Amino acid sequence: MKPILKRLATASLVGLVLLRPFHARADEDDDGDHDRARDLYERGEIKGLANILGVVHADAPGDIVAVDFIRMGDRWVYRFQVVAADGRRRIVDVDAGAGVLMRGRGGD
């Protein structure tokens, strides 16, 4: 009985060690954008996401399925993926500083 518990404990420990890098990488990706956006918002350099959503829904009605915060040239941009009622996906970019639509492009 004791060798079985020892093997189980060893297998569990190995599993935790192997999964740790994936967990750490996911945390780094999410926190970087969030912290950067919060700092820029607090300094008044970008609009809050709540203020931008109306612009997106007016241009591309549907469900927002993803939001990215990226740098394009000298601008910070919110990039939205929107799925319309007919299932078509659309990318909508909004200038985070000015709060205006930059472009939208159709997808699948």
XYZ file of all heavy atoms in Angstrom:
833
model
N 0.816 -1.199 0.000
C 0.000 0.000 0.000
C 0.857 1.261 0.000
O 0.547 2.213 -0.673
C -0.905 -0.040 1.237
C -1.922 1.039 1.259
S -3.264 0.550 0.187
C -4.399 1.813 0.531
N 1.932 1.223 0.743
C 2.789 2.391 0.832
C 3.432 2.763 -0.508
O 3.463 3.932 -0.859
C 3.859 2.144 1.900
C 4.286 3.371 2.605
C 5.195 3.009 3.738
C 5.352 4.199 4.658
N 6.226 3.926 5.770
N 3.926 1.808 -1.299
C 4.516 2.153 -2.602
C 3.495 2.803 -3.544
O 3.845 3.676 -4.336
C 5.011 0.821 -3.160
C 5.170 -0.071 -1.984
C 4.150 0.392 -0.983
N 2.241 2.409 -3.471
C 1.201 2.998 -4.330
C 1.016 4.471 -3.983
O 0.942 5.321 -4.870
C -0.128 2.225 -4.180
C 0.030 0.827 -4.776
C -1.256 2.966 -4.873
C -1.152 -0.077 -4.535
N 0.954 4.782 -2.694
C 0.796 6.177 -2.275
C 2.007 7.008 -2.675
O 1.877 8.172 -3.075
C 0.573 6.256 -0.768
C -0.768 5.748 -0.257
C -0.810 5.790 1.267
C -1.900 6.572 -0.834
N 3.172 6.407 -2.582
C 4.394 7.115 -2.954
C 4.390 7.443 -4.451
O 4.722 8.555 -4.856
C 5.603 6.251 -2.583
C 6.896 6.982 -2.573
C 7.987 6.071 -2.041
C 9.241 6.851 -1.775
N 10.295 6.003 -1.215
N 3.990 6.471 -5.280
C 3.911 6.705 -6.728
C 2.864 7.761 -7.069
O 3.081 8.604 -7.925
C 3.582 5.405 -7.463
C 4.784 4.551 -7.668
C 4.471 3.396 -8.604
N 4.966 2.205 -7.956
C 4.391 1.039 -7.946
N 3.257 0.849 -8.584
N 4.927 0.020 -7.326
N 1.730 7.711 -6.387
C 0.663 8.684 -6.623
C 1.124 10.095 -6.251
O 0.895 11.047 -6.996
C -0.588 8.307 -5.821
C -1.806 9.194 -6.008
C -2.252 9.194 -7.459
C -2.939 8.724 -5.120
N 1.795 10.225 -5.123
C 2.305 11.526 -4.700
C 3.353 12.042 -5.685
O 3.361 13.226 -6.047
C 2.896 11.429 -3.293
N 4.227 11.169 -6.148
C 5.256 11.563 -7.111
C 4.625 11.991 -8.433
O 5.001 13.023 -9.009
C 6.237 10.398 -7.359
O 6.813 10.013 -6.105
C 7.329 10.787 -8.329
N 3.638 11.244 -8.917
C 2.969 11.587 -10.171
C 2.245 12.933 -10.049
O 2.266 13.752 -10.970
C 1.983 10.489 -10.557
N 1.618 13.182 -8.904
C 0.925 14.456 -8.689
C 1.907 15.615 -8.692
O 1.652 16.667 -9.284
C 0.174 14.438 -7.362
O -0.818 13.448 -7.373
N 3.025 15.437 -8.019
C 4.043 16.485 -7.962
C 4.613 16.782 -9.349
O 4.756 17.944 -9.735
C 5.164 16.075 -7.000
C 6.255 17.099 -6.774
C 5.657 18.375 -6.194
C 7.306 16.548 -5.836
N 4.889 15.748 -10.125
C 5.402 15.928 -11.485
C 4.361 16.673 -12.327
O 4.684 17.589 -13.086
C 5.770 14.572 -12.119
C 6.025 14.710 -13.614
C 6.981 13.983 -11.427
N 3.091 16.308 -12.198
C 2.027 16.988 -12.936
C 1.957 18.467 -12.603
O 1.830 19.313 -13.490
N 2.068 18.808 -11.331
C 2.035 20.215 -10.928
C 3.226 20.993 -11.471
O 3.091 22.126 -11.928
C 1.997 20.326 -9.405
C 0.679 19.944 -8.739
C 0.841 19.932 -7.220
C -0.418 20.892 -9.145
N 4.384 20.378 -11.442
C 5.587 21.037 -11.944
C 5.473 21.276 -13.450
O 5.843 22.342 -13.951
C 6.849 20.205 -11.614
C 8.059 20.720 -12.357
C 7.091 20.214 -10.110
N 4.940 20.317 -14.182
C 4.811 20.461 -15.632
C 3.761 21.497 -16.019
O 3.904 22.181 -17.027
C 4.471 19.121 -16.274
C 5.575 18.077 -16.236
C 5.077 16.763 -16.807
C 6.806 18.557 -16.987
N 2.694 21.647 -15.248
C 1.628 22.595 -15.574
C 1.943 24.015 -15.138
O 1.351 24.963 -15.637
C 0.310 22.145 -14.933
C -0.303 20.892 -15.540
C -1.550 20.485 -14.763
C -0.650 21.104 -16.997
N 2.836 24.217 -14.236
C 3.149 25.540 -13.693
C 3.534 26.576 -14.760
O 3.044 27.692 -14.724
C 4.250 25.412 -12.642
C 4.641 26.699 -12.000
C 3.571 27.179 -11.052
N 4.031 28.411 -10.439
C 3.256 29.422 -10.182
N 1.986 29.347 -10.434
N 3.731 30.497 -9.632
N 4.385 26.254 -15.738
C 4.745 27.268 -16.743
C 3.547 27.762 -17.552
O 3.462 28.922 -17.900
C 5.738 26.548 -17.654
C 6.284 25.446 -16.828
C 5.185 25.049 -15.889
N 2.576 26.891 -17.854
C 1.391 27.307 -18.604
C 0.561 28.283 -17.796
O 0.069 29.271 -18.301
C 0.549 26.098 -18.999
C 1.261 25.180 -19.948
C 1.665 23.929 -19.536
C 1.535 25.587 -21.246
C 2.324 23.094 -20.411
C 2.195 24.751 -22.120
C 2.594 23.503 -21.702
N 0.411 28.027 -16.522
C -0.353 28.907 -15.649
C 0.326 30.277 -15.530
O -0.309 31.301 -15.648
C -0.503 28.265 -14.266
C -1.195 29.125 -13.271
N -2.529 29.428 -13.376
C -0.735 29.782 -12.182
C -2.863 30.227 -12.376
N -1.794 30.447 -11.638
N 1.621 30.286 -15.357
C 2.356 31.548 -15.210
C 2.283 32.363 -16.497
O 2.101 33.573 -16.463
C 3.813 31.263 -14.855
N 2.384 31.729 -17.656
C 2.338 32.440 -18.932
C 0.971 33.076 -19.136
O 0.868 34.208 -19.593
C 2.648 31.471 -20.070
C 3.089 32.167 -21.312
C 3.581 31.208 -22.386
N 4.511 30.228 -21.891
C 4.440 28.938 -22.175
N 3.504 28.473 -22.957
N 5.323 28.094 -21.688
N -0.099 32.407 -18.798
C -1.444 32.967 -18.943
C -1.618 34.180 -18.038
O -2.197 35.186 -18.440
C -2.489 31.902 -18.615
N -1.119 34.117 -16.823
C -1.223 35.252 -15.905
C -0.468 36.460 -16.433
O -0.952 37.577 -16.353
C -0.660 34.885 -14.522
C -1.591 33.971 -13.750
O -2.753 33.833 -14.162
O -1.134 33.408 -12.743
N 0.718 36.243 -16.993
C 1.527 37.354 -17.495
C 0.822 38.064 -18.642
O 0.802 39.277 -18.712
C 2.886 36.844 -17.962
C 3.783 36.437 -16.821
C 5.036 35.744 -17.310
O 5.292 35.760 -18.537
O 5.745 35.168 -16.482
N 0.238 37.312 -19.574
C -0.431 37.909 -20.731
C -1.598 38.778 -20.302
O -1.748 39.902 -20.758
C -0.943 36.827 -21.680
C 0.192 36.108 -22.372
O 1.328 36.612 -22.350
O -0.065 35.039 -22.941
N -2.458 38.271 -19.435
C -3.655 38.999 -19.023
C -3.318 40.232 -18.198
O -3.882 41.294 -18.401
C -4.584 38.089 -18.220
C -5.192 37.005 -19.097
O -5.193 37.156 -20.329
O -5.669 36.016 -18.531
N -2.413 40.113 -17.256
C -2.121 41.210 -16.349
C -1.426 42.371 -17.045
O -1.667 43.520 -16.711
C -1.262 40.729 -15.173
C -2.046 39.821 -14.239
O -3.281 39.811 -14.330
O -1.406 39.127 -13.430
N -0.584 42.097 -18.026
C 0.144 43.165 -18.696
C -0.780 44.153 -19.378
O -0.664 45.362 -19.186
N -1.715 43.666 -20.183
C -2.650 44.551 -20.876
C -3.555 45.274 -19.898
O -3.809 46.461 -20.042
C -3.519 43.764 -21.859
C -2.773 43.373 -23.119
O -1.650 43.871 -23.315
O -3.321 42.591 -23.898
N -4.038 44.563 -18.916
C -4.954 45.154 -17.946
C -4.279 46.280 -17.162
O -4.822 47.378 -17.032
C -5.478 44.076 -16.992
C -6.353 44.605 -15.920
N -7.653 44.960 -16.149
C -6.104 44.864 -14.618
C -8.173 45.422 -15.019
N -7.260 45.366 -14.086
N -3.094 46.015 -16.662
C -2.366 47.030 -15.893
C -2.000 48.236 -16.750
O -2.121 49.380 -16.324
C -1.089 46.434 -15.279
C -1.393 45.435 -14.171
O -2.522 45.467 -13.633
O -0.505 44.624 -13.858
N -1.551 47.981 -17.961
C -1.175 49.069 -18.865
C -2.389 49.940 -19.173
O -2.319 51.168 -19.117
C -0.602 48.502 -20.159
C -0.122 49.563 -21.124
C 0.473 48.972 -22.388
N 1.575 48.067 -22.108
C 1.571 46.755 -22.369
N 0.524 46.186 -22.915
N 2.615 46.013 -22.100
N -3.523 49.312 -19.497
C -4.740 50.064 -19.810
C -5.213 50.864 -18.604
O -5.607 52.027 -18.740
C -5.840 49.115 -20.282
N -5.155 50.278 -17.435
C -5.585 50.995 -16.229
C -4.702 52.216 -15.981
O -5.210 53.312 -15.696
C -5.560 50.077 -15.005
C -6.132 50.780 -13.762
C -6.049 49.944 -12.502
N -4.657 49.711 -12.171
C -4.124 48.515 -12.010
N -4.847 47.434 -12.140
N -2.836 48.383 -11.714
N -3.399 52.067 -16.116
C -2.481 53.199 -15.923
C -2.755 54.315 -16.934
O -2.798 55.492 -16.575
C -1.021 52.744 -16.043
C -0.582 51.855 -14.894
O -1.276 51.833 -13.848
O 0.447 51.168 -15.043
N -2.940 53.956 -18.207
C -3.219 54.957 -19.237
C -4.558 55.649 -18.988
O -4.688 56.861 -19.182
C -3.205 54.306 -20.627
C -1.841 53.837 -21.108
C -1.989 52.914 -22.321
C -0.945 55.016 -21.434
N -5.554 54.891 -18.543
C -6.872 55.459 -18.233
C -6.771 56.441 -17.067
O -7.311 57.551 -17.123
C -7.862 54.341 -17.909
C -9.196 54.846 -17.430
C -10.103 55.401 -18.325
C -9.538 54.786 -16.079
C -11.332 55.878 -17.891
C -10.753 55.269 -15.642
C -11.649 55.806 -16.547
O -12.852 56.293 -16.110
N -6.052 56.052 -16.031
C -5.911 56.926 -14.853
C -5.176 58.217 -15.182
O -5.432 59.248 -14.581
C -5.201 56.172 -13.724
C -6.082 55.111 -13.089
C -5.353 54.248 -12.076
O -4.107 54.375 -11.927
O -6.027 53.433 -11.426
N -4.270 58.181 -16.162
C -3.558 59.388 -16.589
C -4.360 60.194 -17.612
O -3.918 61.241 -18.061
C -2.205 59.020 -17.193
C -1.221 58.539 -16.147
C 0.148 58.387 -16.742
N 0.110 57.454 -17.872
C 1.033 56.545 -18.128
N 2.088 56.447 -17.367
N 0.927 55.747 -19.160
N -5.523 59.678 -18.018
C -6.375 60.379 -18.965
C -5.949 60.242 -20.418
O -6.414 60.982 -21.278
N -5.079 59.278 -20.710
C -4.591 59.112 -22.076
C -5.520 58.288 -22.953
O -5.461 58.385 -24.183
C -3.198 58.479 -22.048
C -2.146 59.385 -21.424
C -0.765 58.775 -21.451
O -0.430 58.081 -22.441
O -0.014 58.974 -20.487
N -6.370 57.450 -22.340
C -7.328 56.655 -23.104
C -8.700 56.728 -22.447
O -8.825 57.073 -21.279
C -6.898 55.173 -23.231
C -6.899 54.489 -21.856
C -5.560 55.041 -23.936
C -6.735 52.985 -21.921
N -9.722 56.406 -23.229
C -11.096 56.323 -22.733
C -11.287 54.954 -22.091
O -10.639 53.980 -22.454
C -12.103 56.468 -23.875
C -11.910 57.689 -24.716
C -12.568 58.860 -24.077
C -12.489 60.032 -25.046
N -12.353 61.292 -24.415
N -12.228 54.898 -21.170
C -12.552 53.623 -20.542
C -13.319 52.728 -21.497
O -14.001 53.197 -22.417
N -13.210 51.447 -21.286
C -13.868 50.473 -22.145
C -15.381 50.682 -22.166
O -16.017 50.547 -23.215
C -13.517 49.064 -21.664
C -13.824 47.904 -22.578
C -13.190 48.091 -23.938
C -13.333 46.619 -21.952
N -15.972 51.052 -21.048
C -17.415 51.277 -20.989
C -17.844 52.390 -21.942
O -18.916 52.325 -22.543
C -17.836 51.609 -19.562
N -17.010 53.405 -22.108
C -17.328 54.506 -23.020
C -17.203 54.092 -24.486
O -17.819 54.695 -25.356
C -16.393 55.696 -22.771
C -16.542 56.269 -21.389
O -17.588 56.159 -20.770
N -15.485 56.867 -20.889
N -16.402 53.110 -24.757
C -16.118 52.679 -26.127
C -17.174 51.708 -26.654
O -17.416 51.634 -27.852
C -14.723 52.009 -26.182
C -13.635 52.948 -25.675
C -14.400 51.468 -27.545
C -13.333 54.118 -26.559
N -17.827 50.979 -25.771
C -18.747 49.928 -26.210
C -19.876 50.460 -27.089
O -20.298 49.791 -28.036
C -19.323 49.181 -25.003
C -18.307 48.328 -24.251
C -18.947 47.717 -23.012
C -17.733 47.252 -25.138
N -20.375 51.662 -26.821
C -21.432 52.236 -27.639
C -20.988 52.441 -29.079
O -21.759 52.219 -30.017
N -19.750 52.856 -29.272
C -19.191 53.055 -30.611
C -19.164 51.719 -31.357
O -19.518 51.633 -32.534
C -17.763 53.652 -30.520
C -17.102 53.723 -31.881
C -17.802 55.017 -29.865
N -18.754 50.671 -30.661
C -18.648 49.348 -31.282
C -20.026 48.827 -31.666
O -20.242 48.375 -32.796
C -17.934 48.351 -30.345
C -17.919 46.953 -30.939
C -16.524 48.823 -30.049
N -20.980 48.889 -30.742
C -22.326 48.367 -31.018
C -23.025 49.145 -32.124
O -23.801 48.574 -32.892
C -23.171 48.356 -29.746
C -22.807 47.245 -28.811
N -22.930 45.917 -29.137
C -22.303 47.270 -27.561
C -22.526 45.175 -28.130
N -22.129 45.965 -27.160
N -22.754 50.441 -32.249
C -23.361 51.233 -33.315
C -22.835 50.805 -34.691
O -23.570 50.781 -35.673
C -23.096 52.712 -33.087
N -21.557 50.445 -34.745
C -20.952 50.062 -36.014
C -21.147 48.587 -36.347
O -21.295 48.237 -37.515
C -19.452 50.376 -35.993
C -18.798 50.068 -37.322
O -19.131 50.751 -38.309
O -17.968 49.139 -37.367
N -21.124 47.746 -35.329
C -21.179 46.297 -35.552
C -22.058 45.646 -34.494
O -21.548 45.138 -33.497
C -19.772 45.719 -35.516
N -23.374 45.663 -34.699
C -24.257 45.021 -33.725
C -23.950 43.523 -33.626
O -23.633 42.890 -34.626
C -25.660 45.239 -34.300
C -25.516 46.218 -35.407
C -24.091 46.223 -35.825
N -24.015 43.009 -32.425
C -23.756 41.591 -32.210
C -23.124 41.364 -30.858
O -23.120 42.250 -30.003
N -22.589 40.175 -30.680
C -21.951 39.794 -29.425
C -20.447 40.013 -29.521
O -19.794 39.521 -30.448
C -22.208 38.315 -29.105
C -23.668 38.035 -28.845
O -24.350 38.906 -28.255
O -24.141 36.942 -29.228
N -19.905 40.742 -28.554
C -18.457 40.918 -28.480
C -17.883 39.661 -27.849
O -18.247 39.304 -26.733
C -18.095 42.167 -27.660
C -18.618 43.419 -28.372
C -16.588 42.252 -27.445
C -18.491 44.690 -27.566
N -17.005 38.993 -28.583
C -16.455 37.727 -28.100
C -15.003 37.835 -27.659
O -14.492 36.933 -26.997
C -16.612 36.599 -29.146
C -18.092 36.308 -29.394
C -15.914 36.938 -30.444
N -14.331 38.942 -28.021
C -12.939 39.132 -27.593
C -12.587 40.607 -27.683
O -13.112 41.327 -28.534
C -11.984 38.317 -28.454
N -11.709 41.033 -26.782
C -11.195 42.400 -26.792
C -9.694 42.332 -26.565
O -9.229 41.655 -25.650
C -11.825 43.268 -25.678
C -11.265 44.675 -25.722
C -13.333 43.281 -25.773
N -8.940 43.023 -27.408
C -7.496 43.138 -27.238
C -7.139 44.611 -27.107
O -7.827 45.475 -27.656
C -6.749 42.547 -28.439
C -6.895 41.046 -28.516
O -6.716 40.374 -27.479
O -7.185 40.536 -29.608
N -6.069 44.887 -26.409
C -5.574 46.249 -26.239
C -4.185 46.268 -26.854
O -3.268 45.622 -26.346
C -5.542 46.595 -24.749
C -5.183 48.013 -24.471
C -6.007 49.047 -24.883
C -4.040 48.327 -23.771
C -5.678 50.367 -24.618
C -3.703 49.636 -23.488
C -4.526 50.665 -23.911
N -4.049 46.964 -27.990
C -2.803 46.897 -28.744
C -2.285 48.292 -29.075
O -3.007 49.272 -28.964
C -2.985 46.092 -30.052
C -4.039 46.745 -30.954
C -3.326 44.647 -29.747
C -4.171 46.096 -32.314
N -1.045 48.336 -29.503
C -0.424 49.581 -29.943
C -0.319 49.536 -31.464
O 0.204 48.577 -32.029
C 0.968 49.688 -29.317
C 1.676 50.962 -29.575
C 1.225 52.015 -28.626
N 2.058 53.202 -28.799
C 1.814 54.341 -28.243
N 0.788 54.469 -27.444
N 2.577 55.365 -28.443
N -0.838 50.573 -32.144
C -0.728 50.690 -33.602
C -0.085 52.038 -33.899
O -0.733 53.072 -33.750
C -2.097 50.611 -34.272
C -2.759 49.261 -34.180
S -4.364 49.249 -34.972
C -3.905 48.730 -36.608
N 1.178 51.999 -34.259
C 1.893 53.248 -34.488
C 2.006 54.027 -33.194
O 2.545 53.534 -32.208
N 1.457 55.240 -33.193
C 1.521 56.070 -31.985
C 0.208 56.061 -31.201
O 0.013 56.877 -30.323
C 1.906 57.504 -32.359
C 0.882 58.154 -33.281
O 0.069 57.422 -33.876
O 0.906 59.394 -33.419
N -0.686 55.133 -31.524
C -2.001 55.076 -30.875
C -2.208 53.777 -30.108
O -1.723 52.727 -30.503
C -3.120 55.146 -31.914
C -3.155 56.377 -32.710
C -4.297 56.272 -33.692
N -4.305 57.440 -34.547
C -5.150 57.617 -35.513
N -6.052 56.702 -35.776
N -5.108 58.705 -36.242
N -2.989 53.880 -29.036
C -3.481 52.695 -28.338
C -4.842 52.385 -28.935
O -5.655 53.271 -29.173
C -3.604 52.945 -26.840
C -2.278 52.970 -26.172
C -1.598 54.065 -25.727
C -1.445 51.848 -25.896
N -0.388 53.699 -25.192
C -0.271 52.334 -25.276
C -1.560 50.483 -26.109
C 0.760 51.501 -24.872
C -0.529 49.659 -25.700
C 0.622 50.160 -25.082
N -5.085 51.098 -29.181
C -6.293 50.673 -29.881
C -6.963 49.527 -29.129
O -6.300 48.589 -28.683
C -5.938 50.202 -31.317
C -7.157 49.642 -32.034
C -5.318 51.347 -32.106
N -8.291 49.647 -28.984
C -9.098 48.513 -28.540
C -9.504 47.768 -29.806
O -10.097 48.341 -30.710
C -10.367 48.973 -27.826
C -10.172 49.583 -26.465
C -10.421 50.930 -26.244
C -9.788 48.798 -25.381
C -10.284 51.495 -24.987
C -9.642 49.351 -24.123
C -9.891 50.691 -23.934
O -9.750 51.238 -22.685
N -9.196 46.482 -29.881
C -9.607 45.653 -31.024
C -10.661 44.660 -30.541
O -10.403 43.843 -29.664
C -8.416 44.920 -31.613
C -8.823 43.962 -32.727
C -7.656 43.470 -33.513
N -7.265 44.541 -34.428
C -6.139 44.540 -35.118
N -5.292 43.552 -34.991
N -5.857 45.541 -35.939
N -11.833 44.764 -31.125
C -12.974 43.924 -30.747
C -13.244 42.893 -31.828
O -13.166 43.208 -33.016
C -14.242 44.777 -30.593
C -14.171 45.792 -29.498
C -13.637 47.042 -29.729
C -14.653 45.498 -28.233
C -13.571 47.990 -28.720
C -14.599 46.438 -27.224
C -14.054 47.686 -27.469
N -13.594 41.696 -31.404
C -14.126 40.691 -32.320
C -15.611 40.590 -31.995
O -15.989 40.314 -30.855
C -13.461 39.336 -32.126
C -12.032 39.309 -32.606
C -11.449 37.918 -32.522
O -12.151 36.928 -32.720
N -10.167 37.845 -32.232
N -16.438 40.830 -33.011
C -17.885 40.849 -32.831
C -18.494 39.783 -33.735
O -18.152 39.688 -34.920
C -18.465 42.234 -33.195
C -19.972 42.259 -32.972
C -17.785 43.331 -32.385
N -19.415 38.996 -33.176
C -20.138 38.002 -33.966
C -21.566 38.493 -34.126
O -22.280 38.703 -33.137
C -20.105 36.605 -33.301
C -20.938 35.615 -34.095
C -18.676 36.116 -33.163
N -21.972 38.692 -35.377
C -23.314 39.184 -35.687
C -24.336 38.056 -35.536
O -23.977 36.883 -35.409
C -23.343 39.733 -37.104
N -25.603 38.418 -35.598
C -26.691 37.441 -35.451
C -26.628 36.352 -36.526
O -27.020 35.214 -36.280
C -28.043 38.151 -35.499
N -26.116 36.701 -37.711
C -26.012 35.707 -38.790
C -24.765 34.832 -38.678
O -24.491 34.013 -39.542
C -26.079 36.387 -40.156
C -24.897 37.318 -40.418
O -24.004 37.449 -39.542
O -24.864 37.931 -41.505
N -23.964 35.032 -37.625
C -22.785 34.205 -37.394
C -21.501 34.745 -37.990
O -20.433 34.169 -37.791
N -21.583 35.838 -38.716
C -20.375 36.415 -39.310
C -19.562 37.142 -38.253
O -20.096 37.837 -37.404
C -20.745 37.357 -40.439
C -21.452 36.598 -41.560
C -21.880 37.511 -42.642
N -20.727 37.749 -43.509
C -20.748 38.554 -44.536
N -21.835 39.218 -44.841
N -19.680 38.710 -45.281
N -18.239 36.972 -38.347
C -17.328 37.595 -37.395
C -16.750 38.856 -38.013
O -16.434 38.905 -39.194
C -16.194 36.638 -37.043
C -15.237 37.186 -36.005
C -14.144 36.194 -35.702
N -13.383 35.836 -36.870
C -12.235 36.418 -37.222
N -11.716 37.370 -36.493
N -11.598 36.033 -38.312
N -16.594 39.864 -37.187
C -16.066 41.142 -37.666
C -15.062 41.676 -36.656
O -15.242 41.540 -35.460
C -17.227 42.114 -37.815
C -16.827 43.412 -38.403
C -17.992 44.072 -39.095
N -17.512 45.360 -39.563
C -18.180 46.469 -39.492
N -19.405 46.470 -39.033
N -17.650 47.590 -39.910
N -14.001 42.302 -37.157
C -12.999 42.950 -36.321
C -13.275 44.448 -36.367
O -13.418 45.021 -37.442
C -11.565 42.677 -36.834
C -11.300 41.180 -36.951
C -10.540 43.376 -35.947
C -11.320 40.420 -35.663
N -13.341 45.078 -35.196
C -13.586 46.515 -35.114
C -12.484 47.119 -34.258
O -12.276 46.716 -33.117
C -14.970 46.815 -34.491
C -15.186 48.312 -34.371
C -16.079 46.165 -35.304
N -11.769 48.097 -34.811
C -10.708 48.800 -34.094
C -11.205 50.180 -33.696
O -11.755 50.907 -34.530
C -9.463 48.953 -34.970
C -8.758 47.625 -35.225
O -8.980 46.676 -34.452
O -7.981 47.553 -36.184
N -10.982 50.536 -32.437
C -11.381 51.843 -31.922
C -10.162 52.506 -31.295
O -9.465 51.896 -30.476
C -12.511 51.714 -30.873
C -12.890 53.071 -30.324
C -13.733 51.022 -31.475
N -9.902 53.747 -31.692
C -8.822 54.533 -31.106
C -9.156 54.744 -29.632
O -10.148 55.388 -29.294
C -8.712 55.872 -31.836
C -7.560 56.723 -31.342
O -7.338 56.802 -30.111
O -6.892 57.341 -32.179
N -8.338 54.197 -28.759
C -8.626 54.249 -27.323
C -8.499 55.656 -26.754
O -9.177 55.992 -25.786
C -7.688 53.303 -26.568
N -7.678 56.494 -27.351
C -7.501 57.860 -26.864
C -8.634 58.776 -27.284
O -9.172 59.530 -26.478
N -9.023 58.698 -28.546
C -10.068 59.575 -29.078
C -11.461 58.982 -28.903
O -12.453 59.715 -28.930
C -9.801 59.846 -30.560
N -11.541 57.669 -28.759
C -12.841 57.024 -28.614
C -13.617 56.963 -29.919
O -14.840 56.933 -29.910
N -12.911 56.933 -31.052
C -13.562 56.895 -32.359
C -13.167 55.646 -33.117
O -12.070 55.116 -32.950
C -13.246 58.146 -33.205
C -13.775 59.399 -32.539
C -11.764 58.278 -33.464
N -14.065 55.218 -33.988
C -13.857 54.044 -34.827
C -12.696 54.291 -35.776
O -12.596 55.342 -36.405
C -15.140 53.777 -35.616
C -15.191 52.537 -36.464
C -15.206 51.308 -35.575
C -16.429 52.588 -37.334
N -11.801 53.311 -35.876
C -10.684 53.421 -36.809
C -11.010 52.694 -38.098
O -10.861 53.235 -39.171
C -9.410 52.855 -36.198
C -8.877 53.683 -35.058
S -7.410 52.984 -34.310
C -6.258 52.991 -35.658
N -11.458 51.456 -37.968
C -11.815 50.664 -39.135
C -12.533 49.412 -38.668
O -12.395 48.985 -37.536
C -10.597 50.286 -39.952
C -9.727 49.295 -39.214
C -8.609 48.770 -40.054
N -7.903 47.810 -39.193
C -6.642 47.545 -39.290
N -5.937 48.112 -40.214
N -6.081 46.677 -38.478
N -13.243 48.820 -39.551
C -13.868 47.530 -39.290
C -13.644 46.675 -40.503
O -13.606 47.184 -41.618
N -13.477 45.409 -40.302
C -13.300 44.541 -41.459
C -14.062 43.252 -41.213
O -14.157 42.764 -40.096
C -11.838 44.281 -41.738
C -11.084 43.612 -40.641
C -9.634 43.395 -41.064
N -9.023 42.526 -40.083
C -8.045 42.899 -39.272
N -7.571 44.104 -39.330
N -7.544 42.047 -38.421
N -14.620 42.739 -42.253
C -15.394 41.505 -42.165
C -14.512 40.316 -41.909
O -13.317 40.342 -42.150
N -15.101 39.273 -41.427
C -14.357 38.049 -41.166
C -15.127 36.871 -41.671
O -15.880 36.976 -42.630
N -14.945 35.719 -41.003
C -15.615 34.515 -41.462
C -17.075 34.660 -41.210
O -17.789 34.352 -40.496
C -15.096 33.246 -40.793
C -13.937 33.430 -39.847
O -12.915 33.937 -40.305
O -14.045 33.016 -38.694
